[in-house]
Amino acid sequence: MQVLLVEDDERLAGHIASGLRAAGHLVEHCDNGRDGLVRATCERFDVIVLDRMLPGLDGLKLLGALRATDDATPVLLLSALGDVDERVRGLRAGGDDYMAKPFAMSELLARLESLGRRGSAPAEPAEHLRVGDVEIDLVSHVVSRGARRIPLTLRELRIVAYLARNAGRVVTRSMLLENVWNYDFDPQTNIIDQHISKLRQKLTTGDEVQVIHTVRGVGYVMRVE
Amino acid sequence: MSRLFRSLSFRLALFYAVLLCVSVALVAAIGYRVWVAWPMQEIESEVDREADETARVLQNEGIDATRLVLEQRMRSAGVRKSFHALIAPDGEIVSANLPSWPRRPSSHMTLIEADTFLDGFEDDYTALVRDRTFADGTRLLVGRDVEDILREDELLRTAALWIVCVTLVLGLAGGWLMSRAIGQRIETLARTARQVMDGDLSERVPVRGTSDDFDRLNETINLMLSRIEALFGTARRVSENVAHEFRTPLARLLTRLEALEQLEPEGTPAREEVDNAIAEVNRLQRIFAALLRISRLEGGRHPLHIQRCDIVSLLEDLVEFYQPEADARGIELVLDAQRPLVAELDLDLMFQALSNLLDNALKYVPGGGRIEAFASGEGALHIGIADNGPGLSREEAARVTEPFSRGEDTAGRAGEGLGLSMVAAIAQVHGARFRLEDNRPGLRALLIVPPGLH
């Protein structure tokens, strides 16, 4: 993916850039808002990583200017302001995702992958998802594996649907929390893991292959190996 | 009523009223001595002297001479009208101008009513009489009028009684009014103090501008509050800035550790150490995020998104979210709320608060225990988490909402000691009260959200 990184902190930008490059992405870096806007409008990127507070032009203003030109490139906002209402403001201004500093590189990568895919294939609400032999019908709320129908709660259905939409890509715990539970909150313990393990038990019985895999220290990925 | 008696100003007013009554009684007593007791004594000795003289005449010169003396005395004009009665041993009245006298003679001076009718006019007289019976059976009564002194006596008594009554009534009424006036000023002061205690440091005592004692006191208290508010603001800004300024360096630290993690193959001791360090950085980051959030909530800089919420579905989502954890720990997690139950509040914040409370309960309640997410209320909404775990002592309950303080038995239990501080802050922005009560046994963490919020 081609990534534009707009971040004024040199050292942090260096680390992010090297992390992205190590994951196989092409990274262009700007250290101020004005240059960032010029490059974002002149060139095509798959995804933009934008710091919330920048010298020259504030991150949110840059985002506003970019969206005003009908540019729909996915934007991930980075901010030292981690509060919930900052997040809401960032998303309202046209951001596609929001992360508070400090963050784990793996989390950033997971979110960027999810965003980049959205950018390349315009999201049309799928009615039917399929990962290996697991089929999810989002209209009738039926999940089945081969001939076996799997009874799931509504929440479990949403978890498995979110994982399936991002099949093959890592989904972090906070991504799950933001997208499956409609509350902006910060649970103090890792309850998500227990929801996943329950879901796994239902999805996989006997000698069926596991479809939800744990990526240690990062999150989960749904795929058939 | 007992509240009135406990009021200092009322008791003071009552004390002054009683003091005034005592002084009135004292003045009345002196008046009685001067205008009643002393003149009475004088007349008594005068009557005694006359009675002695007449007795001497009776013994030396006989009953007829006595009658003449008495009749002469009756006719002679004196300051006080004189009265007498002379009764022979056989019961015959020899001479008398007293209308009546007691059947049995008395050894004391007696007062006998002796009103006279002259030309159709009634004159009121009361005679002070010495009554003597001699050896031969002759009875002699000699007396003088004391009507004027008796009137003085009555006047004094009536006046004293009225003054005492009026003083007491005025004292009680004045005391009540005074205690009410002062009580109102004190109540405004106490109300402000309570609001400040509830966390609203910007509250001030109203000042009337009359520069009276209370105004001066209130101004001093307001200055004190301003000072406290300024100190609080500084402390809050410092902690907020610290949390804020630490974020970017922490982000760098995390990326470096991750770079290091990539260099080490999995399973080596170095890799394990790096993973531990990453976990610590993440913990720090959570603490800072929570601190910032609490400080923004307390400082009123977190915009509320108040909306009408279905409380039961909020609790259902909460219970559903924590159900796997409760199952894993062998704890029964139940919901106690009935539809319809709606309230206006910030859904995300309320969910966060309840999630912190439930999280705590799950940490402290042993396996086999029971946790209840409850909500009820018409008017004020009572919502919270109750458990049958070890609970909190009264001292602990007062302390645990402070940042970084935890219950005593915290060995080996995860958490940063900020969960309940955040609940308290969320309660505060909702104008709600956060209470930790004894659930007998266990803990009942309760938020009381007032109706018609904002």
Coordinates of all heavy atoms in Angstrom, one line a residue, chain B residues 140-211:
Chain B
L140 N -63.5 42.5 122.5 CA -63.2 43.8 121.9 C -62.5 43.7 120.6 O -61.5 43.1 120.5 CB -62.4 44.6 123.0 CG -61.9 45.9 122.5 CD1 -63.0 47.0 122.4 CD2 -60.8 46.5 123.5
L141 N -63.1 44.4 119.6 CA -62.4 44.4 118.3 C -62.1 45.8 117.9 O -63.0 46.7 118.0 CB -63.3 43.8 117.1 CG -63.6 42.3 117.2 CD1 -64.9 42.1 117.9 CD2 -63.5 41.7 115.8
V142 N -60.8 46.1 117.7 CA -60.4 47.5 117.3 C -59.6 47.4 116.0 O -58.7 46.6 115.8 CB -59.5 48.1 118.4 CG1 -59.0 49.4 118.0 CG2 -60.2 48.2 119.7
G143 N -60.0 48.3 115.1 CA -59.2 48.3 113.8 C -59.2 49.6 113.0 O -59.9 50.5 113.4
R144 N -58.5 49.6 111.9 CA -58.4 50.8 111.1 C -58.5 50.3 109.6 O -58.1 49.2 109.2 CB -57.1 51.6 111.3 CG -57.2 52.3 112.6 CD -56.5 53.7 112.5 NE -56.6 54.4 113.8 CZ -57.3 55.5 113.9 NH1 -57.9 56.0 112.8 NH2 -57.4 56.1 115.0
D145 N -58.9 51.3 108.8 CA -59.1 50.9 107.3 C -57.7 50.8 106.6 O -56.9 51.7 106.8 CB -59.9 52.0 106.7 CG -59.9 51.9 105.2 OD1 -60.1 50.8 104.7 OD2 -59.7 52.9 104.5
V146 N -57.6 49.8 105.8 CA -56.3 49.6 105.0 C -56.6 49.4 103.5 O -55.8 48.9 102.8 CB -55.5 48.4 105.5 CG1 -54.8 48.8 106.9 CG2 -56.3 47.2 105.6
E147 N -57.8 49.8 103.1 CA -58.3 49.6 101.8 C -57.3 50.1 100.7 O -56.9 49.4 99.7 CB -59.6 50.3 101.6 CG -60.2 50.2 100.2 CD -60.7 48.8 99.8 OE1 -61.1 48.0 100.8 OE2 -60.8 48.5 98.6
D148 N -56.7 51.3 100.9 CA -55.8 51.9 99.9 C -54.5 51.0 99.8 O -54.1 50.8 98.7 CB -55.4 53.3 100.3 CG -54.8 53.4 101.7 OD1 -55.2 52.5 102.5 OD2 -54.1 54.3 102.0
I149 N -54.1 50.5 100.9 CA -52.8 49.7 100.8 C -53.1 48.4 100.1 O -52.3 47.9 99.2 CB -52.3 49.4 102.2 CG1 -51.9 50.7 102.9 CG2 -51.1 48.4 102.1 CD1 -51.5 50.5 104.3
L150 N -54.3 47.8 100.3 CA -54.7 46.6 99.6 C -54.8 46.8 98.1 O -54.4 46.0 97.3 CB -56.0 46.0 100.2 CG -55.9 45.5 101.6 CD1 -57.2 45.0 102.1 CD2 -54.8 44.4 101.7
R151 N -55.3 48.0 97.8 CA -55.4 48.4 96.3 C -54.0 48.4 95.7 O -53.8 48.0 94.6 CB -56.1 49.7 96.2 CG -57.6 49.4 96.2 CD -58.3 50.6 95.6 NE -59.7 50.3 95.9 CZ -60.6 51.3 96.0 NH1 -60.2 52.6 95.8 NH2 -61.9 51.0 96.2
E152 N -53.1 49.1 96.4 CA -51.7 49.1 95.9 C -51.1 47.7 95.7 O -50.5 47.5 94.6 CB -50.8 49.8 97.0 CG -51.0 51.3 97.2 CD -50.3 52.2 96.3 OE1 -49.6 51.6 95.4 OE2 -50.5 53.4 96.4
D153 N -51.4 46.9 96.7 CA -50.9 45.5 96.6 C -51.5 44.8 95.3 O -50.7 44.3 94.5 CB -51.4 44.7 97.8 CG -50.9 43.3 97.9 OD1 -49.9 43.0 97.1 OD2 -51.4 42.5 98.6
E154 N -52.8 45.0 95.1 CA -53.4 44.3 93.9 C -52.8 44.9 92.6 O -52.5 44.2 91.7 CB -54.9 44.5 94.0 CG -55.6 43.4 93.2 CD -57.1 43.7 93.2 OE1 -57.6 44.0 94.3 OE2 -57.7 43.5 92.1
L155 N -52.7 46.2 92.6 CA -52.1 46.9 91.4 C -50.8 46.4 91.1 O -50.5 46.0 89.9 CB -52.1 48.4 91.7 CG -51.8 49.3 90.5 CD1 -53.0 49.3 89.6 CD2 -51.4 50.7 90.9
L156 N -49.9 46.3 92.1 CA -48.6 45.8 91.9 C -48.6 44.3 91.4 O -47.9 44.0 90.4 CB -47.8 45.8 93.2 CG -47.0 47.1 93.6 CD1 -46.5 47.0 95.0 CD2 -45.9 47.3 92.6
R157 N -49.4 43.5 92.0 CA -49.5 42.1 91.5 C -49.9 42.0 90.0 O -49.3 41.3 89.2 CB -50.5 41.3 92.3 CG -49.9 40.9 93.7 CD -51.0 40.2 94.5 NE -50.7 40.3 95.9 CZ -49.9 39.4 96.5 NH1 -49.5 38.3 95.8 NH2 -49.7 39.5 97.8
T158 N -51.0 42.8 89.7 CA -51.5 42.7 88.4 C -50.5 43.2 87.4 O -50.2 42.6 86.3 CB -52.8 43.6 88.3 OG1 -53.6 43.3 89.4 CG2 -53.5 43.3 87.0
A159 N -49.8 44.3 87.7 CA -48.8 44.9 86.8 C -47.7 43.9 86.6 O -47.3 43.7 85.4 CB -48.3 46.2 87.4
A160 N -47.2 43.3 87.7 CA -46.1 42.4 87.6 C -46.5 41.2 86.7 O -45.7 40.8 85.8 CB -45.6 41.9 88.9
L161 N -47.7 40.7 86.9 CA -48.2 39.5 86.1 C -48.2 39.9 84.6 O -47.7 39.1 83.8 CB -49.5 39.1 86.6 CG -50.0 37.8 86.1 CD1 -49.2 36.7 86.7 CD2 -51.5 37.6 86.4
W162 N -48.8 41.0 84.3 CA -48.9 41.4 82.9 C -47.5 41.6 82.3 O -47.3 41.2 81.1 CB -49.7 42.7 82.8 CG -51.2 42.5 82.7 CD1 -52.1 42.6 83.7 CD2 -51.9 42.0 81.5 NE1 -53.3 42.2 83.2 CE2 -53.2 41.9 81.9 CE3 -51.5 41.7 80.2 CZ2 -54.2 41.4 81.0 CZ3 -52.5 41.3 79.4 CH2 -53.8 41.1 79.7
I163 N -46.7 42.3 83.0 CA -45.3 42.6 82.4 C -44.6 41.2 82.1 O -44.0 41.0 81.1 CB -44.5 43.4 83.4 CG1 -45.1 44.8 83.4 CG2 -43.0 43.5 82.9 CD1 -44.5 45.8 84.4
V164 N -44.7 40.3 83.1 CA -44.0 39.0 82.9 C -44.6 38.2 81.7 O -43.9 37.8 80.8 CB -44.1 38.1 84.2 CG1 -43.7 36.7 83.9 CG2 -43.2 38.7 85.2
C165 N -45.9 38.2 81.6 CA -46.6 37.5 80.5 C -46.2 38.1 79.1 O -45.7 37.4 78.2 CB -48.1 37.6 80.6 SG -48.7 36.5 81.9
V166 N -46.3 39.5 79.1 CA -46.0 40.1 77.8 C -44.5 39.9 77.4 O -44.2 39.6 76.3 CB -46.3 41.6 77.9 CG1 -45.8 42.4 76.7 CG2 -47.8 41.8 77.9
T167 N -43.6 40.0 78.4 CA -42.2 39.8 78.2 C -41.9 38.4 77.6 O -41.2 38.3 76.6 CB -41.4 40.0 79.5 OG1 -41.8 41.2 80.0 CG2 -39.9 40.0 79.2
L168 N -42.6 37.4 78.3 CA -42.3 36.0 77.8 C -42.8 35.8 76.4 O -42.1 35.3 75.5 CB -43.0 35.0 78.7 CG -42.2 34.7 80.0 CD1 -43.0 33.7 80.9 CD2 -40.8 34.1 79.6
V169 N -44.0 36.4 76.1 CA -44.6 36.2 74.7 C -43.7 36.9 73.7 O -43.3 36.3 72.7 CB -46.0 36.7 74.7 CG1 -46.5 36.9 73.2 CG2 -46.9 35.8 75.5
L170 N -43.3 38.1 74.0 CA -42.4 38.9 73.1 C -41.1 38.2 72.9 O -40.6 38.1 71.8 CB -42.2 40.3 73.6 CG -43.4 41.3 73.3 CD1 -43.0 42.7 73.9 CD2 -43.7 41.4 71.9
G171 N -40.6 37.7 74.1 CA -39.3 37.0 74.0 C -39.3 35.7 73.1 O -38.5 35.5 72.3
L172 N -40.4 35.0 73.3 CA -40.6 33.7 72.5 C -40.7 34.1 71.0 O -40.0 33.6 70.1 CB -41.8 32.9 72.9 CG -41.6 32.1 74.1 CD1 -42.9 31.5 74.6 CD2 -40.7 30.9 73.8
A173 N -41.6 35.1 70.7 CA -41.8 35.5 69.3 C -40.6 36.1 68.7 O -40.1 35.7 67.6 CB -43.0 36.5 69.2
G174 N -39.9 36.9 69.5 CA -38.7 37.6 69.0 C -37.6 36.5 68.8 O -36.9 36.6 67.8
G175 N -37.5 35.6 69.7 CA -36.5 34.5 69.6 C -36.7 33.7 68.4 O -35.8 33.4 67.6
W176 N -38.0 33.4 68.1 CA -38.3 32.6 66.9 C -38.0 33.4 65.6 O -37.3 32.8 64.8 CB -39.8 32.3 66.9 CG -40.3 31.5 65.8 CD1 -39.9 30.2 65.5 CD2 -41.1 31.9 64.7 NE1 -40.5 29.8 64.3 CE2 -41.2 30.8 63.8 CE3 -41.7 33.1 64.4 CZ2 -42.0 30.9 62.6 CZ3 -42.5 33.2 63.2 CH2 -42.6 32.1 62.3
L177 N -38.4 34.7 65.6 CA -38.0 35.5 64.4 C -36.5 35.6 64.2 O -36.0 35.4 63.1 CB -38.6 36.9 64.5 CG -40.1 36.9 64.3 CD1 -40.7 38.3 64.6 CD2 -40.5 36.6 62.9
M178 N -35.8 35.8 65.4 CA -34.4 36.0 65.3 C -33.7 34.7 64.8 O -32.8 34.7 63.9 CB -33.9 36.4 66.7 CG -32.9 37.5 66.7 SD -32.9 38.2 68.3 CE -31.8 37.1 69.1
S179 N -34.2 33.6 65.4 CA -33.5 32.3 65.0 C -33.8 32.0 63.6 O -33.0 31.4 62.9 CB -34.0 31.2 65.9 OG -35.2 30.6 65.4
R180 N -35.0 32.4 63.1 CA -35.3 32.2 61.7 C -34.4 33.0 60.8 O -33.9 32.5 59.8 CB -36.8 32.5 61.4 CG -37.4 31.4 60.5 CD -38.9 31.7 60.3 NE -39.0 33.1 59.8 CZ -40.0 33.4 59.0 NH1 -40.9 32.5 58.6 NH2 -40.2 34.6 58.5
A181 N -34.3 34.3 61.1 CA -33.5 35.2 60.3 C -32.0 34.7 60.2 O -31.4 34.6 59.2 CB -33.6 36.6 60.8
I182 N -31.5 34.4 61.4 CA -30.1 34.0 61.5 C -30.0 32.6 60.8 O -29.0 32.3 60.1 CB -29.6 34.0 62.9 CG1 -29.5 35.4 63.4 CG2 -28.2 33.3 63.1 CD1 -29.2 35.6 64.9
G183 N -31.0 31.8 61.1 CA -31.0 30.4 60.6 C -30.9 30.4 59.0 O -30.2 29.6 58.4
Q184 N -31.6 31.4 58.4 CA -31.6 31.5 57.0 C -30.3 31.8 56.5 O -29.8 31.2 55.5 CB -32.6 32.5 56.5 CG -34.0 32.0 56.4 CD -35.1 33.0 56.1 OE1 -34.7 34.2 56.1 NE2 -36.3 32.6 56.0
R185 N -29.6 32.8 57.1 CA -28.3 33.1 56.7 C -27.3 32.0 56.8 O -26.5 31.7 55.9 CB -27.7 34.3 57.5 CG -28.6 35.5 57.6 CD -28.6 36.3 56.2 NE -27.4 36.8 55.8 CZ -26.9 38.1 56.1 NH1 -27.7 38.9 56.8 NH2 -25.8 38.5 55.6
I186 N -27.4 31.2 57.9 CA -26.6 30.1 58.2 C -26.9 29.0 57.1 O -26.0 28.3 56.6 CB -26.7 29.6 59.6 CG1 -26.1 30.6 60.5 CG2 -26.0 28.2 59.8 CD1 -26.2 30.3 62.0
E187 N -28.2 28.8 56.8 CA -28.6 27.8 55.9 C -28.0 28.0 54.5 O -27.5 27.1 53.9 CB -30.1 27.7 55.9 CG -30.7 26.6 55.0 CD -30.0 25.2 55.2 OE1 -29.7 24.9 56.4 OE2 -29.7 24.5 54.2
T188 N -28.0 29.3 54.1 CA -27.4 29.6 52.7 C -25.9 29.2 52.8 O -25.4 28.7 51.8 CB -27.5 31.1 52.4 OG1 -27.5 31.9 53.5 CG2 -28.7 31.4 51.6
L189 N -25.3 29.5 53.9 CA -23.8 29.2 54.0 C -23.6 27.7 54.0 O -22.8 27.2 53.2 CB -23.4 29.8 55.3 CG -21.9 29.7 55.6 CD1 -21.1 30.5 54.6 CD2 -21.6 30.3 57.0
A190 N -24.5 27.0 54.7 CA -24.4 25.5 54.8 C -24.7 24.9 53.4 O -24.0 23.9 53.0 CB -25.3 24.9 55.8
R191 N -25.6 25.5 52.7 CA -26.0 25.0 51.4 C -24.8 25.1 50.4 O -24.5 24.1 49.7 CB -27.2 25.7 50.8 CG -27.9 25.0 49.7 CD -29.3 25.5 49.4 NE -29.3 27.0 49.5 CZ -30.3 27.6 50.2 NH1 -31.2 27.0 50.8 NH2 -30.2 28.9 50.3
T192 N -24.2 26.2 50.4 CA -23.0 26.4 49.6 C -21.9 25.4 50.0 O -21.3 24.8 49.1 CB -22.5 27.9 49.7 OG1 -23.5 28.8 49.6 CG2 -21.4 28.1 48.7
A193 N -21.7 25.3 51.3 CA -20.7 24.3 51.7 C -21.0 22.9 51.2 O -20.1 22.2 50.8 CB -20.6 24.3 53.2
R194 N -22.3 22.5 51.2 CA -22.6 21.2 50.8 C -22.3 21.1 49.3 O -21.8 20.1 48.8 CB -24.1 20.9 51.1 CG -24.3 20.4 52.5 CD -25.7 19.8 52.6 NE -26.8 20.8 52.4 CZ -27.3 21.5 53.4 NH1 -26.8 21.4 54.6 NH2 -28.2 22.4 53.1
Q195 N -22.7 22.1 48.5 CA -22.5 22.1 47.1 C -21.0 21.9 46.8 O -20.6 21.2 45.9 CB -23.0 23.3 46.4 CG -24.5 23.1 46.1 CD -25.2 24.4 45.8 OE1 -24.8 25.5 46.3 NE2 -26.3 24.4 45.0
V196 N -20.2 22.7 47.5 CA -18.7 22.6 47.4 C -18.3 21.2 47.7 O -17.5 20.6 46.9 CB -18.0 23.6 48.2 CG1 -16.5 23.4 48.2 CG2 -18.3 25.0 47.7
M197 N -18.8 20.6 48.8 CA -18.4 19.3 49.1 C -18.8 18.3 48.0 O -18.1 17.3 47.8 CB -19.1 18.8 50.4 CG -18.3 19.2 51.6 SD -19.0 18.7 53.2 CE -20.7 18.3 52.9
D198 N -19.9 18.5 47.4 CA -20.4 17.7 46.3 C -19.5 17.8 45.0 O -19.8 17.2 44.0 CB -21.8 17.9 45.9 CG -22.8 17.4 47.0 OD1 -22.2 16.6 47.8 OD2 -23.9 17.7 47.0
G199 N -18.5 18.7 45.1 CA -17.6 18.8 44.0 C -17.7 20.1 43.2 O -16.9 20.3 42.3
D200 N -18.7 20.9 43.4 CA -18.8 22.1 42.6 C -18.1 23.3 43.3 O -18.6 24.0 44.1 CB -20.3 22.5 42.5 CG -20.5 23.7 41.6 OD1 -19.5 24.2 41.0 OD2 -21.6 24.2 41.4
L201 N -16.8 23.3 43.0 CA -15.9 24.3 43.6 C -16.2 25.7 43.2 O -15.7 26.7 43.8 CB -14.4 24.0 43.3 CG -13.8 22.9 44.3 CD1 -12.4 22.6 43.8 CD2 -13.7 23.5 45.7
S202 N -17.0 25.9 42.1 CA -17.2 27.3 41.6 C -18.3 27.9 42.4 O -18.6 29.1 42.2 CB -17.5 27.2 40.1 OG -18.7 26.5 39.9
E203 N -19.0 27.2 43.3 CA -20.1 27.7 44.0 C -19.6 28.8 45.0 O -18.6 28.6 45.6 CB -20.8 26.6 44.8 CG -22.2 26.9 45.3 CD -23.1 27.3 44.1 OE1 -23.1 26.7 43.1 OE2 -23.9 28.2 44.4
R204 N -20.4 29.9 45.2 CA -20.0 30.9 46.2 C -21.2 31.2 47.1 O -22.4 31.1 46.6 CB -19.6 32.2 45.5 CG -18.2 32.0 44.7 CD -17.1 31.8 45.7 NE -15.8 31.6 45.0 CZ -15.4 30.4 44.6 NH1 -16.0 29.3 44.9 NH2 -14.2 30.3 44.0
V205 N -20.9 31.7 48.3 CA -22.0 32.1 49.2 C -22.5 33.5 48.7 O -21.7 34.4 48.5 CB -21.4 32.3 50.6 CG1 -22.6 32.4 51.6 CG2 -20.5 31.1 51.0
P206 N -23.8 33.7 48.6 CA -24.3 35.0 48.2 C -24.0 36.1 49.3 O -24.1 35.8 50.5 CB -25.8 34.8 48.0 CG -26.1 33.5 48.7 CD -24.9 32.7 48.7
V207 N -23.6 37.2 48.8 CA -23.2 38.3 49.7 C -24.3 39.4 49.5 O -24.6 39.8 48.3 CB -21.8 38.9 49.4 CG1 -21.5 40.1 50.3 CG2 -20.8 37.8 49.7
R208 N -24.9 39.9 50.6 CA -26.0 40.9 50.4 C -25.5 42.3 50.2 O -26.3 43.1 49.7 CB -26.8 40.9 51.7 CG -27.6 39.7 51.9 CD -28.6 39.8 53.1 NE -29.4 38.7 53.2 CZ -30.3 38.5 54.2 NH1 -30.5 39.5 55.0 NH2 -31.0 37.4 54.3
G209 N -24.3 42.6 50.5 CA -23.7 43.9 50.3 C -24.1 44.9 51.4 O -24.0 46.1 51.3
T210 N -24.5 44.3 52.6 CA -24.9 45.2 53.7 C -23.7 45.3 54.7 O -23.7 46.0 55.6 CB -26.1 44.6 54.5 OG1 -25.8 43.2 54.7 CG2 -27.3 44.7 53.7
S211 N -22.6 44.6 54.4 CA -21.4 44.6 55.2 C -21.7 44.3 56.7 O -21.0 44.7 57.6 CB -20.7 46.0 55.2 OG -20.2 46.2 53.9

